[in-house]
Amino acid sequence: MNKNIYIIGSGFSSLSASCYLAKEGYKVTVLEKNDTLGGRARQYKKDGFTFDLGPSWYWMPDVFERFFADFGKKPSDYYILDKLSPGYEVYFGKNDSFKISDRLEEIYQLFEEEEKGSSKHLKSFLDSAKSNYETAILDLVYKPGISPLELVNSTTIARVTQFFSTIRTQVRKNIKSQKLIQILEFPVLFLGAKPSNTPAFYNFMNYADFGLGTWHPRGGMYKVIEGMVTLATTLGVKFQVDANVEKIVVDEQNNVKGLVVNGDEIETNLVLSGADYHHTETLLNQNLRQYSEIYWAKKTFAPSSLLFYVGFDKKVKNVSHHTLFFDTDFDLHAVEIYDQPKWPTAPLFYANFTSITDRTSAPEGKEAGFFLIPLAPGIEDTEALREEYFHKIVDRFESLTNQKIKESVLFKRSFCVKDFEQEYNSYKGNAYGMANTLLQTAFLRPRIKSSKVNNLYFTGQLTVPGPGVPPALISGKIASDLIKKNQL
């Protein structure tokens, strides 16, 4: 049995797979093209400020616990978690915001105050969401996406109608308040698709939100990366940074033969790629690629993003650690991402101020701000457009939260479509991978095992189970299990 494997990329899925494979006795080497580990979850530090460049939400803590438990460890062995209260805040207009508590009873009360009778419907909705969560997390999401039969059992048969209805239909059946509707439809945005295109079964994200709460690793999400790297290292995994994979070498029998890294060929006959799936296939000759450019062009990709990392010389008021700004037309913004791609007319946006709850992320008396605008992947990206949209959202931010912050900016760094392409080889500069729509779920997603090249495997947000940090951890386990099975 071949026990030597190279993994391309060092994001969450790659790190997860590296740990599982090393535990099984594989000699694992992780190759990262950038100068630091973590893939899209890298960290940026400047003048005493610390920013997570990518993922900033810690949801589904049980998935992290299960990952570390597989190695006899706990998250607390590597980082400290704080539960956020409120979990997040949502602005709908000037002096009009809802704080989402970390306690269900307070959330029920919030709903009831906004719409009489809605708490009863919310309880029923969350009962369904919890049941779906248990079904998904304990069973479905750990399937390798090889066959439709993976989805067929007594539990899923009982829920079959939920795969042909949508989150939007389910949410709006009993809730009428547009504010409450937006709060309930928000979590599926992590799956990368519109609520009108996301199967109702995925309401389990609402249980992840209200039921399990929002957490923060002290020191930032990069602490999770550091913990996983530490674990992997103790298991014997080797890491190489500034290691750009330029080609996957395949022999005449279509077996992996090696990799070209920074111009030099490395011999190996087993490769797992956690890099962008489309990009990885461009490292192969055309006849060895499973999916054509037409295939990729037809797929629904999750949004790209315009991100700003901003250091402020004062504390910011009237916001929470996570703050969402839903004061503009949700549906119009969705159309301008998915249906008629363009720079949004009046974008919804998200702001994150980790230094409100985490003193390590900014100097005393100052604030670290992270702003995100979802965008259509593949659109034009210029410095002028970035600057225009920074002023658009900051003007609204100032108005909605009754404060001035522009003159308090010490520095700002932006990250957008071009950067996702250059830094991560991301298809059309998408930020989150391929959306989890009905026709892009489970076995309908790109394969983990190449059908054309022997001993070439894939992991990450374009494979099963889909976008997000917890799914990435699971994807790494799925890929490692399949490799182990096929190598026996």
Side-chain angles (χ1 to χ4, degrees):
M1 178 174 66
N2 178 25
K3 284 280 192 174
N4 186 35
I5 184 167
Y6 280 82
I7 298 179
I8 305 173
S10 66
F12 281 108
S13 60
S14 292
L15 293 177
S16 170
S18 75
C19 292
Y20 284 110
L21 289 166
K23 181 184 176 185
E24 291 297 323
Y26 285 81
K27 182 181 178 183
V28 183
T29 304
V30 175
L31 304 172
E32 169 56 54
K33 71 180 284 290
N34 294 309
D35 59 3
T36 57
L37 300 173
R40 300 182 191 217
R42 293 182 297 160
Q43 200 171 62
Y44 168 51
K45 293 189 176 186
K46 181 179 173 67
D47 300 339
F49 293 83
T50 300
F51 304 87
D52 286 310
L53 283 175
S56 59
W57 292 75
Y58 192 106
W59 271 9
M60 303 165 69
D62 53 319
V63 174
F64 295 86
E65 290 164 7
R66 189 173 297 124
F67 167 76
F68 284 108
D70 284 342
F71 305 93
K73 300 291 184 180
K74 304 183 298 293
S76 59
D77 293 329
Y78 301 98
Y79 51 88
I80 300 170
L81 275 180
D82 294 313
K83 192 176 188 185
L84 299 181
S85 182
Y88 55 93
E89 184 172 0
V90 185
Y91 267 88
F92 297 102
K94 191 176 181 67
N95 300 318
D96 182 11
S97 71
F98 286 5
K99 292 184 178 181
I100 305 303
S101 171
D102 65 332
R103 298 179 60 214
L104 267 177
E105 286 305 319
E106 293 181 4
I107 296 174
Y108 291 142
Q109 183 180 343
L110 173 70
F111 269 60
E112 194 65 22
E113 290 173 355
E114 170 65 19
E115 180 182 327
K116 188 171 178 59
S118 63
S119 63
K120 174 185 174 182
H121 299 306
L122 177 60
K123 288 175 183 177
S124 176
F125 179 76
L126 289 180
D127 284 344
S128 166
K130 181 179 181 181
S131 178
N132 285 346
Y133 186 88
E134 291 168 350
T135 297
I137 298 303
L138 296 177
D139 186 15
L140 294 184
V141 296
Y142 286 91
K143 303 294 186 184
I146 295 172
S147 165
L149 296 178
E150 293 172 1
L151 300 179
V152 180
N153 57 46
S154 59
T155 305
T156 54
I157 290 172
R159 291 169 167 78
V160 68
T161 58
Q162 294 187 42
F163 287 94
F164 296 98
S165 179
T166 68
I167 288 289
R168 170 151 292 192
T169 299
Q170 189 180 52
V171 165
R172 296 178 182 227
K173 183 178 179 181
N174 295 308
I175 304 290
K176 304 305 176 187
S177 163
Q178 284 300 309
K179 295 175 183 178
L180 300 184
I181 285 170
Q182 285 187 306
I183 288 171
L184 288 174
E185 290 183 346
F186 148 68
V188 301
L189 297 180
F190 285 99
L191 302 174
K194 294 189 295 184
S196 57
N197 286 340
T198 303
F201 178 77
Y202 284 104
N203 69 3
F204 65 72
M205 292 297 293
N206 294 96
Y207 176 71
D209 176 1
F210 292 167
L212 298 176
T214 304
W215 301 75
H216 173 71
R218 205 173 298 174
M221 288 292 286
Y222 196 69
K223 289 296 180 183
V224 186
I225 291 291
E226 290 179 337
M228 295 179 73
V229 170
T230 299
L231 172 61
T233 302
T234 61
L235 292 167
V237 177
K238 304 297 183 185
F239 292 94
Q240 295 179 20
V241 296
D242 296 313
N244 184 38
V245 178
E246 298 160 342
K247 186 176 180 61
I248 299 172
V249 183
V250 181
D251 68 18
E252 294 178 355
Q253 286 73 46
N254 294 342
N255 299 306
V256 168
K257 182 182 176 184
L259 296 170
V260 176
V261 182
N262 297 338
D264 298 322
E265 185 168 337
I266 297 172
E267 287 189 14
T268 182
N269 53 11
L270 186 56
V271 169
L272 170 64
S273 179
D276 179 271
Y277 202 121
H278 169 268
H279 169 73
T280 302
E281 289 222 309
T282 67
L283 304 178
L284 296 163
N285 292 337
Q286 186 80 44
N287 64 308
L288 297 175
R289 300 172 191 173
Q290 303 167 93
Y291 305 108
S292 67
E293 292 299 323
I294 294 174
Y295 168 90
W296 293 112
K298 287 181 177 179
K299 293 301 174 184
T300 300
F301 273 80
S304 185
S305 297
L306 170 56
L307 303 163
F308 294 101
Y309 314 98
V310 187
F312 293 101
D313 68 4
K314 68 176 184 179
K315 300 301 289 184
V316 178
K317 302 180 297 181
N318 304 328
V319 290
S320 299
H321 182 120
H322 295 295
T323 307
L324 302 159
F325 292 84
F326 286 179
D327 56 306
T328 57
D329 191 330
F330 184 104
D331 290 332
L332 174 61
H333 192 170
V335 166
E336 292 172 341
I337 291 174
Y338 296 102
D339 305 321
Q340 300 166 21
K342 59 185 285 192
W343 278 81
T345 306
L348 285 72
F349 68 98
Y350 154 64
N352 170 344
F353 302 95
T354 55
S355 44
I356 289 176
T357 54
D358 187 347
R359 294 180 181 178
T360 68
S361 61
E364 185 72 26
K366 300 180 181 180
E367 207 86 88
F370 170 109
F371 296 83
L372 181 153
I373 304 173
L375 298 175
I379 60 174
E380 178 188 16
D381 173 16
T382 66
E383 288 301 322
L385 281 166
R386 297 185 189 195
E387 193 67 14
E388 175 188 344
Y389 275 78
F390 177 76
H391 289 286
K392 277 189 177 185
I393 63 170
V394 170
D395 287 345
R396 277 170 49 204
F397 180 95
E398 291 184 332
S399 174
L400 292 165
T401 64
N402 292 307
Q403 64 189 307
K404 297 294 183 182
I405 60 170
K406 274 187 182 177
E407 63 269 23
S408 298
V409 173
L410 293 170
F411 64 87
K412 75 173 185 294
R413 173 183 175 182
S414 66
F415 199 96
C416 198
V417 175
K418 285 182 180 178
D419 301 297
F420 281 103
E421 292 174 339
Q422 293 169 4
E423 298 289 326
Y424 309 128
N425 295 313
S426 173
Y427 181 73
K428 291 187 176 180
N430 80 80
Y432 307 107
M434 188 182 289
N436 261 341
T437 61
L438 177 62
L439 297 179
Q440 295 180 176
T441 294
F443 65 95
L444 297 173
R445 297 181 73 79
R447 301 179 185 93
I448 282 185
K449 184 180 186 299
S450 173
S451 62
K452 292 193 173 184
V453 178
N454 299 319
N455 290 337
L456 174 60
Y457 297 83
F458 301 84
T459 188
Q461 56 191 8
L462 267 69
T463 62
V464 291
V469 176
L473 297 182
I474 294 167
S475 180
K477 176 173 173 53
I478 293 170
S480 63
D481 286 346
L482 196 58
I483 290 169
K484 181 176 67 172
K485 178 182 176 181
N486 290 333
Q487 292 294 307
L488 292 176

